[in-house]
Amino acid sequence: MRKKIVAGNWKMNTLLKEGMELARAVEKLENEKTSDALVIIAPPYTHLSKVKDMIENVRLSAQNCASEDSGAYTGEVSPAMLVSAGVEYVILGHSERRALFGEDNALLNKKVKLALSEGLKPIFCCGEVLEERESGKHFDIVKEQIEVGLEGLSAADMSQIVIAYEPVWAIGTGVVASPDQAQEMHHEIRGFLASMFDDKVAEDMSILYGGSCKPSNAAELFANPDVDGGLIGGAALKAEDFLGIVNAY
Ligand code: PGA
């Protein structure tokens, strides 16, 4: 049985005190949730070890990690450092990392492998930009992101991974994918995984939808058979909205 997951990507938002208050509020509401979805939060690096001390049921993710173990990489944070701070998941391949920081599929594959080798669970993001969808290339783009980004992994590795489909045109725009568009792509992704790995890997994979997901539209997205939860940006910055999405299950 695959897991239902709702993960909050805080991006570069909240100062430490605000972040701690938000984490405390999420933990409190998580304890009263009406759904069995796993709740994950991804605060900025600076908040991680403090937030770790404030949460019990809520799980902790980073938003990125380095592609190298240690050494002369000024400004980078390695997967082992994240694990040492109590982090369990790491978001990799977010479209903002791809577009603003030039992270390509090959680099992401290196990060995924290093993260897994340190025991971190990658939340691997994929998704097309608007022109790619309008020119009918969206399935090919997402397939390539998955084929290269998850290349060389075993079925055991795949059991530690979560996939997030985030159409770039829906991220932070208020334009949400329709439930049919989300279901269609999630179903395709499951098909790619079945051909790259096997049916069990495909069936067991939690595939989250991300992009302008809110309490008001989450239920119809999550009602689709291949949508196993959400990766939430803007609406994760208010505990009530975020848990509203969790409780939409
Ligand atoms: P959004 O962001 O919910 O603000 O659209 C989603 C994401 O970038 O993960």
Side-chain angles (χ1 to χ4, degrees), residues 20-121:
M20 287 169 69
E21 277 161 17
L22 179 55
R24 189 179 294 114
V26 171
E27 174 71 24
K28 180 170 177 289
L29 291 178
E30 202 277 351
N31 284 295
E32 298 157 14
K33 73 180 180 201
T34 55
S35 121
D36 56 357
L38 186 73
V39 178
I40 303 175
I41 53 175
Y45 283 141
T46 44
H47 303 16
L48 290 170
S49 62
K50 289 237 183 207
V51 164
K52 173 67 189 166
D53 291 340
M54 316 186 58
I55 54 177
E56 208 169 305
N57 293 330
V58 173
R59 316 295 267 269
L60 190 59
S61 177
Q63 299 174 17
N64 183 29
C65 69
S67 58
E68 304 292 337
D69 259 344
S70 65
Y73 300 99
T74 301
E76 289 292 278
V77 176
S78 73
M81 291 171 185
L82 294 174
V83 171
S84 76
V87 175
E88 188 181 355
Y89 291 86
V90 60
I91 298 172
L92 290 174
H94 190 280
S95 69
E96 288 149 20
R97 300 292 322 167
R98 292 175 185 268
L100 303 174
F101 302 97
E103 297 195 4
D104 63 12
N105 293 328
L107 175 78
L108 292 168
N109 183 245
K110 209 172 160 195
K111 290 191 178 194
V112 167
K113 286 178 173 160
L114 185 64
L116 285 168
S117 75
E118 294 295 343
L120 270 183
K121 298 173 189 160

